[in-house]
Every structure is written in C-alpha cells, then in structure tokens.
Amino acid sequence: EAKSAGRDMARFFSPETDHRVLARQTMEVQLRQALAAGEFSLHFQPRLQARSRKVQGVEALLRWQNPLLGEVPPDNFIQLAEETGLINRIGAWVLREACTTWMDLEARGICKGLTLSVNLSVAQLAHPELVEQLAQVLHETGMPAEQLELELTESHLMDNPDTAQARVSALKELGVQIAIDDFGTGYSSLAYLKRFELDKLKVDQSFVLGMMEDSADAAIVHAVIGLGHTLGLAVVAEGVENLATAQALTALGCDELQGYCFSRPLPLDELVSYLQTNGQHGERRRMRA
Ligand code: C2E
Ligand code: MG
Ligand code: MG
Ligand code: MG
C-alpha cells in the first residue's frame, strides 16, 4: 500500500510538474524585483493608415530582460503579474515610461500628430486608483490625453461589463481614446459593445494571420470591420505579415494596419530612425528594402 501511495506521489510530483512549479516560483521571485532592478523596457510598433500607408501611431509593448530567465515574452509573465497583483505597479511604470518617452520624441519633433497606444490589463482597469493615476501621469508628463489610446482586451472587459463600462466612462472623461484589443476572441455582447464609449476595435491577429488561406477567418475579419463601422468605430488589423493581406484588408475598408509587414516592435532608437527615415510613409522604405 505504501508502495502504491509512493508511486502516486511520484506521479503527482512528476519531474515535469516539479519543474513547472519551480519555474513559476522562480519567475515570481524574479518578477517581484524586476521593476527595482530596471529589467523592464518598452518596444514600439508602428501602426499605419491602411489607404495612405502613413504612420498613424505607435503601440508600446512591454519587454522583460532578466539575467536568470533571459528575455521573457509578455504572454509568459503578464498573467502571473495579474495573479500576484504586481501588474498595478508594472502597469503604472509602463504608462509613465510610455508617456515620458513620447513627450521626449514630441520635443524632438519626431511623433507629431501620432497616437501612442498602451495596453491596460483587466486588473489595472479594476484598480480604484487607475483614473487618478492616469490623470497624474498626463499632468506630470504633459502628455496630451487625446494622443493617448488605451487598449483593453475584449475577453477581460466582458468578465465584469458593468464595472468595466463605468471605468471606461471615467477614462473617456480624461480625454483618452479607448480601443478593444484582440477583438473576436472574447464573447462581447453587442448590447455592451454599443454602451461602451469606444473609439476603436482591433481585430485579433489570429483571424488576420489566416485570412488569406481560410475563408472563415476572412469572413470574420470582414464582419468585424462591418460591425465596427456600423458602431462608428475605427477598425485596426493586427498581425499583418505580408503585403497581400495588407491589400485585402485595405479593400475590405479596414482603417489601420499593424504587423511585421511594416515593422516589428522596435527598441526606442530604432523607432526613432524608423520614423525619421520613413517620414510619414511607412511602406515606401519597406518596398525599397
Ligand atoms: P497585443 O496587445 O495584442 O500586442 C500584439 C502582439 O502581437 C505583440 O506581441 C506583437 O509583437 C505581436 N505582433 C505584432 N505584429 C505581428 C505580426 O505581424 N505577426 C505576429 N505573429 N505577431 C505580431 P507581444 O509584444 O509579445 O505582446 C503580447 C501581448 O502581451 C500583447 O498583445 C498584450 O496583450 C500583452 N502586453 C504587452 N505589453 C503589455 C503592457 O505593457 N501591459 C499589459 N497589460 N499587457 C501587455
Ligand atoms: Mg495591444
Ligand atoms: Mg492584440
Ligand atoms: Mg494579444
């Protein structure tokens, strides 16, 4: 009996489980001190107007470089940051860093008329001090609210739509723009979609990546563009990896395009040269290259 229990235990604490638990613990320990250790940075991915292919804005994307774990992608640590509550401090850092960087570019005349997008996690949206925190960042950095766009993930918004709606309303009062990210992967009630004060839908990249081969994906992209426009919202496609997809999206009336076709997320110095070299014409350099 003891033997079989031992076997069960061994199965339960299989080397694999063990490894995963340990990896998570290690990551949590590292994540707790990452801010203080200065291990976070931001990369920036341009977003282009579909028709003119002019740069319209830039999305700030968090990067974590840890001495022990190497470069950890956000998909591997954002959820942990949410579960541990660390996301509020990390998110506050992202907002301040993004706006500070933006105003520095602004002063150098590099991002005139462009919009800065920042991702907000659901835990941040739920945090009672978010609105005040944001107001303070806008005030202290001088970032014009109308040039800041906050991206909220669809699936998260619908977890608690009434609270989310109230919070979105308060954010809108500050003058920022609101986009729904990863649209099509959650389960938005159309009634809520109408009630939220939104500016933009971002079609999830999973549909965009497959739309040239998979007619169902293409149909979903088409439908989201139609839905967005019916509601008076701009529609962005993310995950645009090639020119054929970019052209198809433009033909479907998609307003903005973001993806490797135009640029990967760039460290700040490369963003600066991208914006300087391309001027406002994101595609031209790509075609020459
Ligand atoms: P997201 O906001 O939907 O960002 C788009 C993701 O797609 C980014 O991944 C970007 O690098 C990637 N991407 C861009 N163009 C292409 C393309 O053409 N093809 C493909 N295959 N991928 C493309 P990344 O940077 O790894 O970020 C993943 C997710 O992590 C983000 O998805 C966002 O939900 C979250 N995230 C990133 N930064 C932050 C942050 O500062 N705060 C919060 N709360 N979440 C963040
Ligand atoms: Mg995003
Ligand atoms: Mg997205
Ligand atoms: Mg995503």
Side-chain angles (χ1 to χ4, degrees):
E1 221 176 58
K3 225 181 185 179
S4 100
R7 257 203 313 276
D8 285 349
M9 290 297 276
R11 207 176 308 136
F12 185 70
F13 292 105
S14 70
E16 232 171 276
T17 317
D18 227 30
H19 178 77
R20 244 180 292 139
V21 170
L22 197 68
R24 192 197 140 100
Q25 280 170 354
T26 308
M27 193 179 282
E28 185 174 337
V29 169
Q30 296 300 307
L31 194 59
R32 284 191 185 281
Q33 50 79 56
L35 259 185
E39 292 170 5
F40 290 121
S41 65
L42 295 178
H43 281 194
F44 301 90
Q45 187 178 36
R47 185 162 35 76
L48 283 70
Q49 189 179 42
R51 288 229 194 101
S52 65
R53 303 286 155 89
K54 284 181 180 173
V55 181
Q56 184 123 22
V58 166
E59 178 175 6
L61 292 158
L62 185 57
R63 294 293 176 261
W64 179 24
Q65 180 69 44
N66 177 269
L68 208 63
L69 304 168
E71 163 110 17
V72 190
D75 282 331
N76 294 3
F77 71 84
I78 292 286
Q79 202 194 331
L80 182 61
E82 288 186 345
E83 288 164 12
T84 52
L86 289 165
I87 191 68
N88 287 304
R89 282 194 294 133
I90 297 173
W93 179 87
V94 169
L95 264 176
R96 185 173 296 273
E97 180 73 10
C99 291
T100 305
T101 304
W102 198 251
M103 292 316 288
D104 185 46
L105 295 182
E106 177 68 39
R108 295 157 67 190
I110 291 166
C111 61
K112 281 235 152 29
L114 306 185
T115 317
L116 169 67
S117 307
V118 175
N119 294 284
L120 225 58
S121 90
V122 65
Q124 283 177 276
L125 192 70
H127 198 275
E129 275 160 34
L130 171 73
V131 179
E132 201 176 310
Q133 220 176 57
L134 177 62
Q136 200 177 337
V137 168
L138 294 175
H139 178 73
E140 286 173 20
T141 61
M143 176 82 197
E146 64 277 8
Q147 280 184 42
L148 180 63
E149 181 175 277
L150 301 176
E151 298 192 355
L152 306 168
T153 302
E154 184 204 12
S155 50
H156 291 152
L157 274 185
M158 295 302 152
D159 289 347
N160 205 338
D162 290 315
T163 316
Q165 191 195 345
R167 208 44 66 76
V168 166
S169 233
L171 290 172
K172 283 298 293 179
E173 269 175 46
L174 290 180
V176 298
Q177 301 187 54
I178 306 288
I180 297 203
D181 207 347
D182 302 347
F183 190 78
T185 56
Y187 302 92
S188 289
S189 134
L190 295 183
Y192 277 115
L193 209 54
K194 193 183 89 178
R195 275 164 51 189
F196 276 114
E197 296 170 58
L198 306 173
D199 299 281
K200 197 177 269 187
L201 296 183
K202 289 189 94 168
V203 191
D204 189 67
Q205 56 176 264
S206 60
F207 306 114
V208 177
L209 289 170
M211 67 178 276
M212 300 309 281
E213 287 84 39
D214 185 329
S215 61
D217 283 342
I220 290 169
V221 171
H222 195 168
V224 172
I225 293 169
L227 175 65
H229 288 170
T230 301
L231 294 171
L233 309 175
V235 180
V236 188
E238 56 181 13
V240 184
E241 292 192 348
N242 54 63
L243 208 51
T245 307
Q247 277 159 352
L249 286 161
T250 308
L252 287 174
C254 189
D255 301 283
E256 294 174 44
L257 309 174
Q258 186 177 339
Y260 298 164
C261 175
F262 304 106
S263 172
R264 289 181 174 264
L266 304 169
L268 180 61
D269 55 334
E270 287 179 39
L271 174 75
V272 167
S273 35
Y274 177 91
L275 293 176
Q276 283 173 334
T277 312
N278 289 292
Q280 297 274 294
H281 295 276
E283 194 187 356
R284 231 178 257 165
R285 186 183 105 181
R286 201 200 65 81
M287 305 258 295
R288 267 205 310 266

